[in-house]
Amino acid sequence: LERLRSWSNVPVIVLSVRSSEDEKVRLLELGADDYVVKPFGMAELLARAKAALRRHRRGESGESVITIEHLTIDFAARRVTANGKRLSLTPKEYRVLQILAQHAGKVVTHQRLLSEVWGQWHVHDTHYLRIFVRKLRQKIETDATKPRILLTELGVGYRLAVPMDVAP
């Protein structure tokens, strides 16, 4: 995976019988786009493969605006709107959302978010990140108790739902 990532950004989905959190985190941090634990259904695998290909195509096009449900993120203008109303986000809230949006549909590990937003000294402050994500959900979700945009990957990290403007 490391050698492949050194020269290619082709989507990679890991299929494994190993379900340990450490193994998932390690492979996602090495560059895997998704991790599926056996047994799995063929429909699920095909859906994940289609989503990975959509993200790959979107990444190549360098889109500056993405829409997920009622949320629109305009990277060029640094503007986030929900149902047409501009949201007031702190710089760190915007940065977390930006990182997740740049990897929409992919899992971003707790450690990566903490490192990129708060620095290496905070890579183990996952409790703080959970509180922070809860506050961000209150701003971007229609119902923060039932998130549809900012999704939790238990024990690993967070993922932003796949944008609506990406066709299969």
Side-chain angles (χ1 to χ4, degrees), residues 137 141 147-153 157-161:
R137 279 183 175 140
E141 296 281 357
R148 295 175 44 98
I149 297 172
L150 203 168
L151 308 169
T152 300
E153 291 291 333
Y158 297 97
R159 172 172 56 88
L160 219 57

Side-chain angles (χ1 to χ4, degrees), residues 70-122:
H70 64 278
L71 184 74
T72 301
I73 305 166
D74 183 338
F75 294 113
R78 289 186 57 93
R79 183 176 325 155
V80 180
T81 57
N83 295 317
K85 295 180 182 175
R86 187 169 183 170
L87 299 179
S88 177
L89 300 180
T90 68
K92 288 196 186 310
E93 287 172 335
Y94 179 81
R95 183 68 180 130
V96 167
L97 193 57
Q98 180 185 39
I99 292 167
L100 291 169
Q102 288 169 338
H103 300 88
K106 296 180 187 178
V107 177
V108 180
T109 64
H110 298 126
Q111 289 75 20
R112 183 169 181 185
L113 281 170
L114 287 162
S115 174
E116 288 193 34
V117 178
W118 287 275
Q120 283 296 321
W121 297 106
H122 297 280

